[in-house]
Amino acid sequence: MRILTATESGKVGVPSEDWSAVATGLVVVLDGATARTETGCIHGVAWYARHLGAFIVEMADNRDIPLASVLRAAITETARAHLHTCDLTHPGTPAAAVGILRDTADHWEYLVLGDVSIAIAATTGEKVISDERVGATAPAERAEADRYPIGSPEKQAALLRMKHGELAARNREGGYWIAAADSAAADHAITGTAPKPEIKAMSVLTDGAVRAVEFGLLDWTQLLAVLHDEGPGELLRIVRDAEESDPLGVRWPRNKKSDDATAVYVPSP
């Protein structure tokens, strides 16, 4: 099976907080949640995403374990890895969104938690699995942050207020769910299956890559066509060109000029 991957940091010289891995019949993509506040942790978000991803890959090899249970166990193991050095009860403890694809004998399983998206092109049509719960939190604070140009003091202050609103809604009923220190979040992941005979292609993307759709540059059909015809690197180029043309976020209001972006494409699985 041929799988294509492209990833770019949102800022030159700053390590990406995205993480991805491909194994036989398995794709795992993580998007580390931007930390705008204290975290109570001596490790960075990239450390968290890297360790959580490695545990997911290890545990997902057992096809008898459902993906939600795989994620639950991986969150537990990652928490154990820094339990004695960090305050895991801190509301800003490192976290990551998760997207997983895994094959079985007759279908592909998928899991999405947080703002990672999975797009499936099938003979029955396209299916996009996105978790909209994160973006639905702190709506007033988000709208306020969108009023200001990127890089301005007003923007930074508004983003901090927005982040506090997000954290107040993290991993609780009525809010949103993301992989952090509490393994119970895995029980709220979006899961499902797609029959192998119907699948033409699949992709897992962090929200930095999904900006192509959010900006209205492409619809999902066109995005999958770009991945098929030119590969994930071209998708990221489209996004970066748009970001460069609007550095202050006037045309496309957003939290930062460029975000870490990762796209994994599985053609004709």
Side-chain angles (χ1 to χ4, degrees):
M1 180 187 303
R2 186 170 64 102
I3 298 177
L4 307 177
T5 302
T7 187
E8 286 186 6
S9 171
K11 191 171 184 180
V12 175
V14 177
S16 175
E17 293 173 344
D18 285 359
W19 186 93
S20 63
V22 173
T24 303
L26 179 69
V27 175
V28 180
V29 174
L30 275 63
D31 184 352
T34 301
R36 300 187 189 278
T37 68
E38 293 296 324
T39 65
C41 181
I42 64 173
H43 307 102
V45 173
W47 178 96
Y48 179 83
R50 185 170 65 251
H51 281 70
L52 179 65
F55 283 124
I56 291 172
V57 170
E58 177 184 348
M59 297 172 185
D61 188 56
N62 185 342
R63 267 36 177 193
D64 293 331
I65 304 176
L67 288 182
S69 298
V70 166
L71 179 56
R72 175 183 267 274
I75 292 172
T76 298
E77 289 303 312
T78 306
R80 186 174 291 126
H82 65 147
L83 173 64
H84 300 296
T85 56
C86 307
D87 176 11
L88 303 189
T89 66
H90 193 287
T93 191
V98 182
I100 308 174
L101 286 171
R102 183 176 68 174
D103 76 338
T104 67
D106 57 359
H107 61 266
W108 279 80
E109 304 170 284
Y110 60 78
L111 177 147
V112 168
L113 183 70
D115 49 4
V116 171
S117 295
I118 292 177
I120 300 174
T123 56
T124 54
E126 294 164 5
K127 180 174 186 178
V128 178
I129 303 97
S130 295
D131 188 345
E132 307 292 345
R133 291 172 290 188
V134 179
T137 60
E141 291 85 349
R142 289 180 188 280
E144 177 71 8
D146 283 347
R147 292 179 52 209
Y148 303 112
I150 293 169
S152 68
E154 295 85 357
K155 180 80 162 184
Q156 295 307 113
L159 287 174
L160 184 58
R161 291 191 292 271
M162 185 197 78
K163 188 64 177 184
H164 282 297
E166 276 188 9
L167 293 178
R170 179 193 280 188
N171 288 348
R172 61 186 60 197
E173 295 294 341
Y176 72 98
W177 303 87
I178 194 168
D182 183 359
S183 62
D187 299 334
H188 299 270
I190 300 169
T191 59
T193 61
K196 280 186 176 180
E198 297 179 3
I199 298 175
K200 296 192 293 185
M202 301 180 295
S203 182
V204 189
L205 310 105
T206 62
D207 60 346
V210 174
R211 281 184 171 183
V213 174
E214 293 176 347
F215 289 178
L217 307 171
L218 304 170
D219 60 25
W220 283 102
T221 299
Q222 293 166 329
L223 182 148
L224 287 165
V226 168
L227 292 174
H228 178 270
D229 296 338
E230 302 178 73
E234 175 62 13
L235 174 63
L236 300 196
R237 185 197 66 77
I238 290 171
V239 172
R240 294 296 187 236
D241 284 354
E243 293 167 338
E244 287 298 324
S245 73
D246 180 41
L248 299 182
V250 175
R251 182 176 181 183
W252 297 296
R254 55 199 190 273
N255 298 342
K256 59 184 84 170
K257 175 188 168 184
S258 297
D259 196 4
D260 300 336
T262 299
V264 179
Y265 182 57
V266 185
S268 302

